[in-house]
Every structure is written in C-alpha cells, then in structure tokens.
Amino acid sequence: MAHLGTGRRRRALAVPVGLALTASLAFLPSVAASAAPVGMTADASATATPDTSGPKLSYVANLNAYGSMKQAKKAITRAGGTVVIAYEQIGVVVAHSQNPEFAKQLRAQRELFVSVGATRTAPLSVVQTTEEGTTQRLSDADAAKAAASATDGQEPLESNQWDLRAIKADEAHKINDGSRNVTVGVIDTGVDDTHPDLAPNFSKGQSANCVGGVADTTEGAWRPYADGSDHGTHVAGTIAAARNGIGISGVAPGVQVAAIKVSEPATSLFYTEAVVCGFMFAAEKGIEVTNNSYYVDPWLYNCKADDDQKALVEALGRATKYAERKGVLSVASAGNSNHDLASNAIVDETSPNDTTPVTRTIDPHVCLDLPTQLPGVVTVSATGDQGFKSYYSTYGLGVVDVAAPGGDKWQIPATPDANGRVLSTVPGGGYGYKQGTSMAGPHVAGVAALLKSRHPWASPSQLQAMLKGQATKTACPEQVYDATGVLVDATTCNSKWGQTGYYGYGVVDALKAVK
C-alpha cells in the first residue's frame, strides 16, 4: 500500500478571520501589494453562472491574513462551490465543486486567498482498491507457544514482543505504565475499540470519523470499515494495549488511546480534508499526542511549485501548527520507500496514486512528504531486532528525528515465533505481525505518552527535546540488509551534529522516559 507505513515504502473558541487572524496566524503570507481591496473580485467571471461540467472534486482554500471568512464563503459559492466546513481558527475552508475553473477563479482573488487546491485527482465518486500487504495473523498454536514461554509479570504473548525490550519498555513498566490523563490519538484507518486488549484504555469521547472533512462522533464511527484495513488497530495496540493478562502489552499500557479515522472507504486513501479534520479534532479534544503512520494522498511528495500541492502543504501546515499550539505533539512515520530525504533528488513513480501515476524527479527540500516533513512533527525511521535500519525505511540526516522498532523480516529475533515483524492487535480480538515505519511511529508515540505522564507540564517542543535527548545514540552501521536479505555496505548512512541519517538522534528509550 503506497500511503500507509506498512506499504512499499503520517479547544479554543473560534476567532474571526479578519484583522484578528493576523495576530493568531503570524505564519500566513501577507497580501500581495497588487491585490484588489477586500470585497472586490479580481475575477470577472465570478458573477457569471459557474460551469458545472467537470468531475466533483474536493478543495482546500486557504485565506490570507486579511481575508474575511464571510467573504471567502461567498466567493466559493459564486465560483460554483459548496462549503463543507470552515476552520476559522486557521483560515482554511474545505469545499466541493464541479467547476473545472473553480480553483483558478479563487486563486485570482488574491485579496482573499493565498492558495487554493484540489485535494485529489480522482472524482469523489471513484472507488479503487489498494494493497496494504498481508498481515501475518498469530495462530492459536503460536499463541499457546508464546504463552508457555511467558515469564512472571509478562502478558501471555509478550515473549514475542522483541520490540518492547529493544526500547526497554518492559523495564519501564516496572516503574510506570503511564497516566490515564494522557491520550494518544491514532489518526489512521480506524480502531476496533471492542478488542479486549484495547477496550480498557479506549477513549470514545476523543474519537471520531473525519473522512470527508467533518468529524462524526456517533457511536462506532471511528471503527475500521467492515472490509477495511487492520492498520489503525495494530498501531493502537503498540501504543496502549492494556496490561490485563490478555494478549500483548503496549509501550504505554496505562494511557488512553483514541481513534480518529481519516481513510476513505474501499481505497484506504488519506486525503487532506480528512487529515486536517483529524489534527483539528485532536487539538479541540485535548489529545496530547497523535500518531500518523501514513502519508497524505495522492502525492508521495507535495511540490510547492504546483498550485494544488502548494495549497495542501499550506492547509496541513496550519492544522499541525494549530494542534501544536493547543498542546499536541505529532509523531509521523518517515515512509517505506528507502528514500534519502536529505538528498537533492528522489524519483517518485507513485504519484498521484488515486489516478495514473507519472514518474517525476523531486527535491525533498521543497517537495514535502506530509505530514512527516512539516515543522514540529517528530519524524521516525524504523529498525529491526538487530538494531539495523529496516531495509525499507526512508531516512535522512537532519530530517529523521529518532528511530524505533518497525520490524524487519531479515532481522530474526530469538523469540518463540522467531518473527522479525512487530506483533500487535488486529480487529476481531486477534493478533498479527506487521512491519513498516508505521510500526515504528507508535513506539515513539508511546514513549512520548510516558514522557507526558511523567512531565504533565511539558509542551510539545519540550517533549520532542526529551525524546531526542534521551534516545540511545546509535552510530551508522557498517552493513545493513537490502530488500533481498543480503548484507550490503551501509554507504548511504551519514552522520553529523550528533545525528545520523538512519537513526536521527538515536533509538527512543522508554525506561529513561519514566525515571
């Protein structure tokens, strides 16, 4: 699956969006000197009957510092759009339109909008299927073997959790499992809150379905689709599966976990309007940490030179920055393409992934993997049982912040199952193995939750500093496994400023987090 980490390769009262927006959103671009006065349109066609002959697409429209939300809504309507939701706190509007010139007409109104772009290249009605990768479900026989190997104080399947021991989470649990005053929001494909290992720690009041851009908090709306992905449930278990004598243990088994579903039905694609909703919902619901094990579709990298992609970067950047100001630390997976995000050129063969991909060469300094390359977001690479960078993990000196176990089928642990992937919860009360930076991210989110439990006063930037400062420094290895399981020279790993391209500041340490 291209966009999830397991694939081939993320409360305040609303303020008026007028002059008051200038103070609260200092990062917004200023109005161009040539812009028309507020209230006047720069597009003569805006008063004509809009064309509705095109496919129905979803858009984000980002207001500038002086734009009025009331005027913006009127401009959207005149251009043949329908407002889905308006986030006055950050000056972002989600809209639908069948006008092929919709974005162009709004961009011309520079007195209101700094950027406008389509969030997808396929019509809203298009349904596709994507392959996430097969989960290796734990059999009853393997579960019995693991239970027979469990020692005193361990959960029945914990002997297979090499990943907990790799970050000393098993030792941390002897001191502190985390506080129920801390919640980690899993922005993902949904979570099965009926799973017996997740139900004790699940926070329904902080969960929602954000697909389409509007939060739906009705009972069970946050659960995976009946025929959908087990990805979010697996992530949630790694973070906060309860120590209850059932199954596995999470990294922070005493904290709460919430589900914010943002993946489309059938496709499991993550579009901007849903992800913006996810960050805004987390911010307003008092969630302390979010885990983002995906990239925002349909672009693996979003290039600011493209008008549509520029708008997506802007909208998501405003949402994550707002969440940070509200006390949310965002953790995101680096990706599974084995790309060097510190290089000057990457070949992207997968974008857009909702229609026909076109091969392009991008510069990751200006074409961003979202949300992992946004300011303030903790970027996580993956390791295996032997401590090597996982063969699939994307990396980058100065881009990756920390590393954590994500699994690697070539790095075989001395566990009952001898499986180098990560064991966690899956829907229906079961357990299964997955590998990916999607599995590394929740280990970091769990450690961040332990830190927040220990230091409830800490801001997101302080939590990030502690994650980096407490990480186990890890030098570049001499060799790593490639995709075929062959050991090769680790020539792509660079080090500088106390960091490496593979591991950032090092592998996170759960034990230090609770001391």
Side-chain angles (χ1 to χ4, degrees):
M1 185 174 200
H3 61 288
L4 291 172
T6 51
R8 289 185 301 106
R9 346 193 267 12
R10 155 151 151 195
R11 195 173 317 162
L13 295 175
V15 297
V17 184
L19 292 177
L21 190 62
T22 307
S24 62
L25 299 179
F27 56 89
L28 291 180
S30 60
V31 181
S34 60
V38 174
M40 294 180 65
T41 177
D43 181 16
S45 66
T47 58
T49 302
D51 183 356
T52 58
S53 63
K56 186 177 182 181
L57 295 177
S58 181
Y59 296 85
V60 286
N62 304 306
L63 278 67
N64 62 40
Y66 303 109
S68 158
M69 185 62 79
K70 181 178 180 180
Q71 291 171 328
K73 289 179 179 179
K74 288 181 178 179
I76 287 169
T77 301
R78 287 197 302 269
T82 302
V83 174
V84 175
I85 189 168
Y87 294 105
E88 297 204 20
Q89 307 97 314
I90 60 173
V92 174
V93 183
V94 176
H96 292 167
S97 181
Q98 289 182 262
N99 179 3
E101 298 295 311
F102 179 74
K104 181 179 178 181
Q105 290 176 8
L106 294 188
R107 289 173 194 143
Q109 301 180 60
R110 298 168 64 193
E111 75 281 4
L112 290 177
F113 303 104
V114 72
S115 58
V116 181
T119 67
R120 60 190 74 201
T121 62
L124 288 171
S125 60
V126 167
V127 176
Q128 300 180 3
T129 57
T130 55
E131 179 59 36
E132 176 181 325
T134 303
T135 300
Q136 296 183 350
R137 292 186 72 98
L138 192 70
S139 67
D140 291 341
D142 285 338
K145 183 169 60 175
S149 301
T151 59
D152 290 343
Q154 282 190 328
E155 294 294 275
L157 304 180
E158 194 172 338
S159 58
N160 278 325
Q161 290 188 273
W162 61 269
D163 51 305
L164 294 187
R165 296 183 285 279
I167 60 170
K168 302 177 186 175
D170 56 330
E171 298 179 57
H173 297 162
K174 298 174 184 178
I175 300 173
N176 192 344
D177 281 342
S179 169
R180 292 194 65 78
N181 293 325
V182 174
T183 302
V184 179
V186 178
I187 301 179
D188 212 295
T189 63
V191 174
D192 178 9
D193 59 302
T194 68
H195 195 293
D197 236 355
L198 297 176
N201 291 338
F202 193 79
S203 177
K204 291 185 177 182
Q206 294 171 294
S207 297
N209 178 356
C210 266
V211 177
V214 180
D216 175 5
T217 58
T218 57
E219 175 70 23
W222 52 76
R223 293 174 189 149
Y225 302 108
D227 58 349
S229 171
D230 58 9
H231 189 271
T233 303
H234 194 279
V235 165
T238 296
I239 296 168
R243 296 192 67 82
N244 56 357
I246 300 173
I248 65 166
S249 171
V251 172
V255 307
Q256 295 193 82
V257 65
I260 305 175
K261 185 166 72 174
V262 295
S263 64
E264 295 277 316
T267 65
S268 287
L269 295 178
F270 292 59
Y271 287 119
T272 296
E273 63 270 24
V275 177
V276 167
C277 171
F279 283 117
M280 297 300 290
F281 183 83
E284 304 298 356
K285 289 295 181 178
I287 287 172
E288 285 79 15
V289 181
T290 64
N291 185 84
N292 303 272
S293 291
Y294 58 89
Y295 73 76
V296 179
D297 300 291
W299 307 98
L300 176 55
Y301 298 101
N302 291 263
C303 298
K304 297 178 185 178
D306 177 272
D307 285 334
D308 287 315
Q309 295 166 50
K310 173 186 176 181
L312 308 189
V313 174
E314 179 73 20
L316 288 161
R318 292 186 186 187
T320 56
K321 182 58 66 177
Y322 178 79
E324 183 180 0
R325 292 200 305 273
K326 297 288 285 185
V328 182
L329 175 68
S330 297
V331 176
S333 303
N336 296 346
S337 300
N338 194 28
H339 286 166
D340 182 357
L341 296 177
S343 69
N344 294 319
I346 291 175
V347 177
D348 174 15
E349 299 176 329
T350 66
S351 303
N353 63 4
D354 59 349
T355 47
T356 303
V358 177
T359 299
R360 58 182 185 160
T361 300
I362 63 94
D363 179 351
H365 297 90
V366 294
C367 296
L368 305 182
D369 181 351
L370 302 177
T372 196
Q373 286 184 275
L374 290 172
V377 175
V378 179
T379 302
V380 183
S381 63
T383 61
D385 175 69
Q386 295 173 25
F388 298 152
K389 179 187 82 72
S390 302
Y391 68 88
Y392 51 79
S393 181
T394 289
Y395 57 97
L397 182 62
V399 180
V400 167
D401 293 306
V402 289
D408 186 328
K409 63 184 179 182
W410 305 119
Q411 300 182 49
I412 309 301
T415 59
D417 277 359
N419 195 317
R421 300 167 179 85
V422 174
L423 180 65
S424 190
T425 48
V426 294
Y431 300 86
Y433 285 100
K434 284 181 177 291
Q435 66 177 13
T437 54
S438 275
M439 286 57 258
H443 286 85
V444 176
V447 173
L450 292 176
L451 280 169
K452 185 66 174 179
S453 300
R454 179 69 178 81
H455 308 283
W457 46 265
S459 67
S461 61
Q462 290 170 323
L463 290 176
Q464 181 165 177
M466 284 187 274
L467 280 172
K468 295 175 181 178
Q470 295 178 0
T472 301
K473 304 301 179 185
T474 308
C476 285
E478 293 184 1
Q479 292 184 309
V480 289
Y481 289 100
D482 68 8
T484 65
V486 175
L487 278 171
V488 297
D489 290 341
T491 56
T492 58
C493 187
N494 300 308
S495 60
K496 192 176 182 181
W497 315 300
Q499 306 173 54
T500 68
Y502 282 2
Y503 311 107
Y505 285 88
V507 177
V508 291
D509 189 316
L511 180 58
K512 288 181 181 177
V514 299
K515 286 186 173 180

